[in-house]
């Protein structure tokens, strides 16, 4: 036997790869053929050692040991090669055994029909992680029976695989999914009411499930980061929602102000894993929800679920009232918020004349944010976002176009004599300004009086100082 080096080339990338093989020569009649005995990967030993390694492996395959095995390098290579060879050899012998015992029959492929086809792959992953995360433990403590536990497992996994309503989950379990076999429950005999009831039971155990999940996630996916992101969203109902105390009219994120809503408060860590959740009424004031979150964080800190540094809570300006900031500080937590008022307007000189003093932070490959600490207590940071600047400039441009268009129509009406009384014209100007408050302050509208003190024309003048100040703070926030 001898060792042969072989080079292969990737057709797509053009990259070359080197591997080594243990080869033996066999004679078949008048021809000599080379047969690969063992794949060795890429050897990192000198070529002069190949012959000795071939002898070591030859003796190993014969069931003995070679004198050359005193060399620790050759012994290590041989051990690894034999381990891989044993695995491959067993697999080959298994295939040969299966092949030798096989029975073959002719089958008419056109006559084959498939029925009750069910999905299995996602179900295996979902049930595996259900067990890995230990979700069954808090459910057991809530008093569910063995059958209810099986239904709960199936419902949780089905909602992960195919998110939808309880009714659609029932259909999935009956028709499309192999979860019935995996959890040991025949859903052909389970009515949809059982799905509704188990969903309520799972929700009753929500707090204990969340606490157990946090503990398990910290064990499976440990992280040193302690960044918590908190925000609210809402979902609307298209039904009458009679008897649902949480369903209220409020500010819909999806602009469905004709429908009742419920609000969802969600706290996640820097990886997006949930830490806390709660459903509120649809007209819930955002700032009021923070107290519940802080109580939950405090309880989890007391249970030792977040060892090391205390977490930093990140919120948007809708939640960051002075009262809430004081509340966070009373818990001893760090926080990061955008000021509710547009505090950037107080730093026009910094934004206009001292841009070089800002530090650039790459938030993504195509975007930068520039920051500068203002040296205050608590620490305030003046920020400039390029993407936000472009967005605000585009919004202002669109609003300006609408305002100027509205003024042009009003001025044309005045010239035609449709509006001539000073009081009427003043009212129309006031209405125009009220419709475009953010842009109207950039302009001054002058009325031109003609005969009998009647308004004959309108003149629109820009206020350069105001426009310059507002354009300077595009993309800026504190």
């Amino acid at each position: 036997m001898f060792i042969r080096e072989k080079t292969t080339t990737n057709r797509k990338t053009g990259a070359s790869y080197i591997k080594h093989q243990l080869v033996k020569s066999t004679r078949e009649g008048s021809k000599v053929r080379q047969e690969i005995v063992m794949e060795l990967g890429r050897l990192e030993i000198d070529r002069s050692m190949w012959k000795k390694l071939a002898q070591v492996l030859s003796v190993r395959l014969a069931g003995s040991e070679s004198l050359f095995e005193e060399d620790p390098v050759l012994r290590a290579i041989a051990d690894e090669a034999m381990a891989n060879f044993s695995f491959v050899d067993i697999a080959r012998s298994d295939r040969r055994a299966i092949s030798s015992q096989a029975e073959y029959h002719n089958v008419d492929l056109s006559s084959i029909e498939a029925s009750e086809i069910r999905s299995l792959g996602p179900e295996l992953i979902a049930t595996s992680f259900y067990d890995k995360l230990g979700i069954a433990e808090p459910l057991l403590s809530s008093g569910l029976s063995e059958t209810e536990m099986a239904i709960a497992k199936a419902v949780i996994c089905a909602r992960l695989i195919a998110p939808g309503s309880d009714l659609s989950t029932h259909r999935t379990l009956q028709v499309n999914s192999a979860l019935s076999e995996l959890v040991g429950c025949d859903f052909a005999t389970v009515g949809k009411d059982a799905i509704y009831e188990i969903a309520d039971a799972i929700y009753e155990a929500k707090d204990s499930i969340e606490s157990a999940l946090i503990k398990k996630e910290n064990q499976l996916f440990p992280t040193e980061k302690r960044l918590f992101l908190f925000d609210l969203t809402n979902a609307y109902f298209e039904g009458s929602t009679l008897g649902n105390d949480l369903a209220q009219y409020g500010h819909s994120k999806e602009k469905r102000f004709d429908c009742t809503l419920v609000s969802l408060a969600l706290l996640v860590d820097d990886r997006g894993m949930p830490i806390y959740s709660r459903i509120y009424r649809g007209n819930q004031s955002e700032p009021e929800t923070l107290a519940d979150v802080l109580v939950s964080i405090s309880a989890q800190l007391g249970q030792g679920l977040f060892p090391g540094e205390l977490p930093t809570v990140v919120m948007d300006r809708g939640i960051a009232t002075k009262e809430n900031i004081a509340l966070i500080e009373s818990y001893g937590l760090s926080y990061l918020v955008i000021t509710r008022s547009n505090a950037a307007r107080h730093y026009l000189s910094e934004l206009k004349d001292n841009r070089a003093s800002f530090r650039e932070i790459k938030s993504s490959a195509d975007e930068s944010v520039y920051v500068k600490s203002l040296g205050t207590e608590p620490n305030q940071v003046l920020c400039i976002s390029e993407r936000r600047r472009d967005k605000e400039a585009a919004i202002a441009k669109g609003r300006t176009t609408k305002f100027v268009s509205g003024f042009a129509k009003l001025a044309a009406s005045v010239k035609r004599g449709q509006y001539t009384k000073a009081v009427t014209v003043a009212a129309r100007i006031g209405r125009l300004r009220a419709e475009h408050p953010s842009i109207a302050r950039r302009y001054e509208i002058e009325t031109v009086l003609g005969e009998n003190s009647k308004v004959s024309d309108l003149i629109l003048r820009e206020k350069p100082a105001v426009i310059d100040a507002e354009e300077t703070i595009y993309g800026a926030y504190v």
Side-chain angles (χ1 to χ4, degrees):
M1 295 187 188
F2 62 94
I3 292 174
R4 179 176 66 189
E5 182 177 277
K6 186 175 182 181
T7 302
T8 57
T9 303
N10 188 308
R11 292 182 180 179
K12 291 184 178 180
T13 63
S16 297
Y17 303 95
I18 296 174
K19 65 178 182 179
H20 297 89
Q21 302 165 328
L22 180 66
V23 180
K24 70 176 181 179
S25 298
T26 58
R27 179 176 291 277
E28 294 181 5
S30 61
K31 295 182 179 180
V32 176
R33 299 182 184 277
Q34 292 182 349
E35 180 183 336
I36 298 172
V37 179
M38 187 182 295
E39 296 284 353
L40 303 176
R42 179 167 183 170
L43 297 176
E44 300 295 341
I45 58 173
D46 189 79
R47 196 181 188 94
S48 61
M49 302 284 286
W50 288 7
K51 186 175 182 180
K52 292 180 180 179
L53 177 60
Q55 291 177 357
V56 169
L57 292 172
S58 299
V59 173
R60 284 277 194 105
L61 290 170
S64 302
E65 289 189 6
S66 168
L67 295 175
F68 294 113
E69 291 201 19
E70 294 180 2
D71 188 320
V73 175
L74 293 181
R75 188 186 307 117
I77 296 173
D79 287 342
E80 183 178 357
M82 290 301 297
N84 294 333
F85 177 77
S86 298
F87 174 79
V88 173
D89 196 46
I90 290 170
R92 285 174 180 168
S93 62
D94 288 345
R95 287 198 296 271
R96 284 194 295 267
I98 292 170
S99 178
S100 65
Q101 298 170 12
E103 294 184 14
Y104 297 96
H105 298 276
N106 291 327
V107 176
D108 180 7
L109 295 179
S110 63
S111 68
I112 295 176
E113 292 183 1
S115 61
E116 296 188 25
I117 300 171
R118 294 176 178 267
S119 165
L120 178 62
E123 284 78 2
L124 289 171
I125 296 173
T127 53
S128 172
F129 270 90
Y130 179 96
D131 297 334
K132 216 178 263 285
L133 292 171
I135 299 176
E137 296 174 18
L139 283 176
L140 269 174
S141 62
S142 64
L144 297 184
S145 67
E146 185 177 343
T147 302
E148 289 171 331
M149 287 289 294
I151 296 175
K153 182 176 183 178
V155 167
I156 290 172
C157 293
R159 294 290 284 266
L160 172 66
I161 296 163
S165 66
D166 289 333
L167 182 59
S168 68
T169 298
H170 181 250
R171 290 171 181 159
T172 297
L173 293 172
Q174 282 201 324
V175 179
N176 302 323
S177 177
L179 281 168
S180 179
E181 289 82 355
L182 293 176
V183 303
C185 179
D186 184 7
F187 282 95
T189 61
V190 176
K192 63 180 183 297
D193 289 346
I195 306 297
Y196 293 125
E197 291 167 3
I198 207 66
D200 292 338
I202 293 171
Y203 184 69
E204 289 297 322
K206 180 185 77 70
D207 292 341
S208 57
I209 291 174
E210 281 184 349
S211 180
L213 282 176
I214 295 166
K215 187 181 297 184
K216 201 69 176 179
E217 285 165 359
N218 284 340
Q219 293 172 359
L220 294 173
F221 313 106
T223 177
E224 296 300 321
K225 292 183 179 179
R226 288 290 174 264
L227 194 66
F228 289 172
L229 311 177
F230 176 58
D231 203 358
L232 267 76
T233 188
N234 53 45
Y236 65 86
F237 296 97
E238 291 188 327
S240 59
T241 62
L242 295 176
N244 187 341
D245 296 333
L246 294 176
Q248 302 288 336
Y249 289 99
H251 182 78
S252 171
K253 305 276 186 181
E254 298 170 280
K255 312 300 182 186
R256 287 302 301 267
F257 302 111
D258 58 321
C259 301
T260 55
L261 316 167
V262 290
S263 297
L264 170 67
L266 186 63
L267 181 77
V268 300
D269 64 14
D270 58 288
R271 302 163 297 180
M273 292 186 176
I275 303 297
Y276 165 89
S277 67
R278 183 169 174 181
I279 297 174
Y280 290 93
R281 63 184 188 276
N283 58 356
Q284 175 68 45
S285 170
E286 288 191 352
E288 295 175 0
T289 61
L290 182 64
D292 294 330
V293 175
L294 295 178
V295 169
S296 174
I297 293 176
S298 179
Q300 290 162 0
L301 288 171
Q303 297 170 21
L305 296 184
F306 305 122
E309 294 183 17
L310 292 178
T312 297
V313 181
V314 182
M315 305 169 294
D316 68 8
R317 68 177 73 199
I319 303 171
T321 62
K322 289 182 179 179
E323 294 77 10
N324 276 345
I325 289 176
L327 186 61
I328 294 174
E329 291 175 341
S330 70
Y331 278 85
L333 300 174
S334 301
Y335 59 90
L336 178 64
V337 298
I338 297 179
T339 53
R340 285 171 70 86
S341 62
N342 190 3
R345 66 179 184 274
H346 301 305
Y347 303 98
L348 288 174
S349 60
E350 293 287 340
L351 294 167
K352 198 170 185 179
D353 304 325
N354 297 320
R355 286 291 183 102
S357 63
F358 284 71
R359 183 162 61 94
E360 181 181 4
I361 298 175
K362 279 282 187 183
S363 58
S364 64
D366 59 344
E367 182 186 11
S368 291
V369 176
Y370 299 86
V371 298
K372 180 179 182 178
S373 176
L374 299 174
T376 57
E377 184 62 38
N379 187 26
Q380 290 190 319
V381 180
L382 184 59
C383 309
I384 307 169
S385 165
E386 293 179 336
R387 185 172 294 177
R388 180 170 173 155
R389 179 190 61 205
D390 296 340
K391 179 181 177 181
E392 291 179 358
I395 291 173
K397 183 179 180 181
R399 289 175 175 173
T400 300
T401 300
K402 290 181 180 179
F403 175 78
V404 172
S405 175
F407 169 81
K409 290 179 181 179
L410 178 58
S413 298
V414 170
K415 284 185 177 181
R416 289 197 306 267
Q418 184 176 350
Y419 305 116
T420 57
K421 292 183 179 180
V423 175
T424 305
V425 173
R428 301 294 297 185
I429 292 173
R431 186 182 300 177
L432 178 65
R433 287 185 174 279
E435 290 175 356
H436 309 277
S438 61
I439 298 299
R441 58 174 173 261
R442 301 183 177 194
Y443 294 90
E444 182 180 342
I445 299 176
E446 179 185 344
T447 58
V448 179
L449 299 178
E451 298 179 0
N452 302 323
S453 297
K454 291 183 179 181
V455 180
S456 60
D457 199 5
L458 297 177
I459 300 174
L460 184 66
R461 291 193 178 91
E462 291 183 345
K463 297 179 180 179
V466 175
I467 293 174
D468 181 61
E470 294 192 353
E471 290 181 349
T472 298
I473 64 172
Y474 283 165
Y477 55 95
V478 177

